[in-house]
Amino acid sequence: MSTIPHFLDAIPPHSPDTPCKERPDLFVDSSRTTPLKEKATAAKALCARCPVRDACTDYAIANDYRDGIWGGLTVDERDQLARERATAEAD
C-alpha cells in the first residue's frame, strides 16, 4: 500500500514524471510510518529532481501527514519546517 498525493493526478501528461509515481515503494512503507533509512535516502534523491517538490511539501504540512517522505522531507523535517514558517510569520 502506498500514499501518493492526489494533486499529482492533475499534472498534465506532458509534464515530467514525478518520482513518487515511478517508485511509490520508496516514499511510504506500509509496514512502517517512515521508510527505512536506505529507502528514505533514495526517495530524497528522487525528490530533489521533482517538479512539484515544494507543492508536495506544502500539501503534507497542510494536511499533517505523519508518515512517509513528502517533498523530500521526513515527518520530523516537515515539523521543523512548519515551526520555522510559523516563527517567520509571527515576526
Side-chain angles (χ1 to χ4, degrees):
M1 183 172 125
S2 68
T3 303
I4 298 176
H6 67 81
F7 66 81
L8 293 178
D9 293 333
I11 293 176
H14 62 277
S15 295
D17 286 334
T18 56
C20 56
K21 282 188 169 183
E22 296 170 22
R23 294 289 314 272
D25 59 299
L26 294 178
F27 295 85
V28 178
D29 185 334
S30 63
S31 66
R32 306 170 54 88
T33 57
T34 302
L36 296 172
K37 183 175 181 177
E38 304 81 42
K39 286 188 174 186
T41 300
K44 288 179 173 196
L46 292 175
C47 285
R49 67 174 176 84
C50 183
V52 296
R53 180 180 180 179
D54 293 339
C56 186
T57 298
D58 294 343
Y59 179 82
I61 290 171
N63 291 283
D64 197 30
Y65 278 97
R66 309 304 302 165
D67 62 342
I69 304 296
W70 292 77
L73 303 175
T74 64
V75 67
D76 292 338
E77 293 165 335
R78 291 191 303 273
D79 288 346
Q80 178 64 35
L81 179 59
R83 284 190 298 274
E84 290 170 5
R85 288 178 176 177
T87 299
E89 289 176 8
D91 291 338

